[in-house]
Amino acid sequence: MRSRVTIASCAAGCLMALAAPAFAQNEDSLRAFFEGKRVTVKIDMPGTSDGIDVRPDTTRAIDYKRYGDRLKSYGTAIRAGESTVVTLVKVKKDLIEFQLGGGGFGTFGDDTSTSVYIRPVEKSNREKELEKRVKEESDSRRRRQLEDELDDLRTRRERENRRIDAERARAEARKRERIAEERLRGGSRFNVRYADAVPAGLRPDDLMAALAEYVDFSNGGPAEYVDTKPAVDVAAPKPAGDAVLPRKGMTRGEAERAFGKPVIDAVDRREGSVVITTLVFVSGDQKITADFIEDVLVRYTITSR
């Protein structure tokens, strides 16, 4: 038995020793290939270090409800069609962090708290003394005098604390605005997650394939967004001039401002636990059929009227 345990321990140690260099080689090769290169995103990126989770080995690579929640909570740091720099590629056990433009607000060193502490005014020694003396005083006239002084001290303290509360609220509002601005400048990331572990020997081509639907690796400049889902009618004519194209990640409000009120009332349907709302817009000589989850555009088709 002791011999078997020793052999098993040695085997486990050997596997770990072999895995560590492979893990490091994966990360080194990916970092050398991607970091510092400019890419163009095809999907709005939330302004948070939580980024977008992509599961390439599942039938539904992105949880669009969670994605929509993050866009609503943190805003859009990088918009679809914008180019940005790959600032870090980090390989973990079952995860590859593909960081863009700084990796998203909320990384180490970022102050994410919106609270501000201003010390309130505590009871003074005189106020505490008066509270005690009022209870002990038997002379009614003298007790009223003590109560009047106590009320005056208490009123002044409470008035000062109300001023402090108002100042704290103003400071917290300013801090929320500052954090919101920093989120929009802090970049974002893709978290490419695998069921068990990052595949051994994963190459840059493999990572590009996993992110191909969401990232354009072909050039470094801004690119017009073209949705790659088969549902999009790529043969349909594009809007002329400066007309706005739909994009994944666009909110329902943005879509209605861009294309006007939908010409067909919203139609809801359920796919699993997710409710999908379909709206139809008319823009020029085109009909845009758009699917929304939690008021966030997830796919669309463009056809001629």
Side-chain angles (χ1 to χ4, degrees):
M1 178 65 72
R2 183 177 301 170
S3 175
R4 290 178 181 174
V5 171
T6 302
I7 292 172
S9 299
C10 290
C14 291
L15 288 173
M16 291 178 64
L18 290 172
F23 182 91
Q25 288 170 9
N26 263 5
E27 183 172 289
D28 290 344
S29 63
L30 294 175
R31 292 187 65 180
F33 184 87
F34 288 110
E35 288 182 8
K37 294 192 175 181
R38 185 168 288 275
V39 298
T40 301
V41 298
K42 301 178 181 181
I43 185 172
D44 285 354
M45 304 291 297
T48 171
S49 58
D50 292 341
I52 300 176
D53 295 327
V54 178
R55 301 181 185 275
D57 51 1
T58 63
T59 56
R60 188 178 179 83
I62 289 182
D63 181 338
Y64 279 102
K65 183 180 185 306
R66 179 175 295 177
Y67 165 66
D69 289 342
R70 288 177 183 173
L71 283 178
K72 284 184 177 180
S73 297
Y74 304 114
T76 302
I78 311 171
R79 293 197 172 275
E82 292 181 350
S83 66
T84 187
V85 174
V86 181
T87 51
L88 180 66
V89 178
K90 183 73 174 175
V91 179
K92 299 182 178 180
K93 178 181 180 295
D94 59 351
L95 163 70
I96 299 176
E97 293 180 2
F98 193 78
Q99 300 191 18
L100 304 173
F105 186 81
T107 54
F108 179 77
D110 290 334
D111 180 10
T112 59
S113 172
T114 58
S115 63
V116 173
Y117 177 75
I118 303 177
R119 186 174 180 176
V121 177
E122 305 290 344
K123 289 182 181 181
S124 65
N125 289 336
R126 177 59 177 168
E127 188 175 347
K128 293 176 182 177
E129 178 188 359
L130 287 171
E131 287 177 339
K132 181 179 179 181
R133 290 180 59 183
V134 165
K135 294 178 181 178
E136 296 174 348
E137 183 60 56
S138 57
D139 182 86
S140 59
R141 185 182 63 83
R142 179 58 182 157
R143 186 169 57 250
R144 281 194 300 273
Q145 290 175 340
L146 295 174
E147 287 173 342
D148 289 343
E149 184 180 355
L150 176 60
D151 288 343
D152 182 60
L153 289 176
R154 184 178 293 150
T155 298
R156 280 188 284 173
R157 175 173 58 82
E158 291 174 349
R159 183 168 56 243
E160 179 63 13
N161 280 335
R162 285 194 296 273
R163 186 196 64 78
I164 290 173
D165 289 342
E167 178 57 31
R168 182 188 302 110
R170 288 191 292 270
E172 288 179 344
R174 291 193 296 268
K175 192 172 184 182
R176 283 194 296 272
E177 291 175 0
R178 177 180 60 78
I179 289 176
E181 292 175 359
E182 291 179 358
R183 285 191 181 282
L184 302 184
R185 297 194 302 266
S188 191
R189 70 179 68 184
F190 288 97
N191 302 307
V192 185
R193 300 183 180 275
Y194 295 88
D196 298 315
V198 174
L202 184 137
R203 301 168 302 169
D205 285 351
D206 299 321
L207 185 54
M208 285 194 288
L211 293 174
E213 186 175 346
Y214 319 107
V215 181
D216 179 3
F217 294 94
S218 63
N219 62 72
E224 180 182 37
Y225 170 64
V226 179
D227 193 300
T228 57
K229 283 185 177 290
V232 178
D233 181 3
V234 295
K238 295 180 181 178
D242 297 327
V244 178
L245 285 171
R247 67 176 189 277
K248 288 189 292 183
M250 174 182 275
T251 66
R252 178 172 175 173
E254 289 174 332
E256 291 185 353
R257 285 192 293 274
F259 311 118
K261 292 294 182 182
V263 296
I264 297 178
D265 291 338
V267 177
D268 292 339
R269 70 181 185 277
R270 182 175 292 276
E271 290 187 7
S273 60
V274 176
V275 176
I276 298 178
T277 301
T278 300
L279 301 176
V280 178
F281 302 93
V282 171
S283 178
D285 61 351
Q286 296 179 332
K287 182 172 74 172
I288 302 169
T289 303
D291 289 343
F292 294 83
I293 297 177
E294 296 285 326
D295 284 343
V296 175
L297 180 62
V298 296
R299 58 177 174 261
Y300 64 88
T301 60
I302 300 176
T303 57
S304 299
R305 292 180 60 184

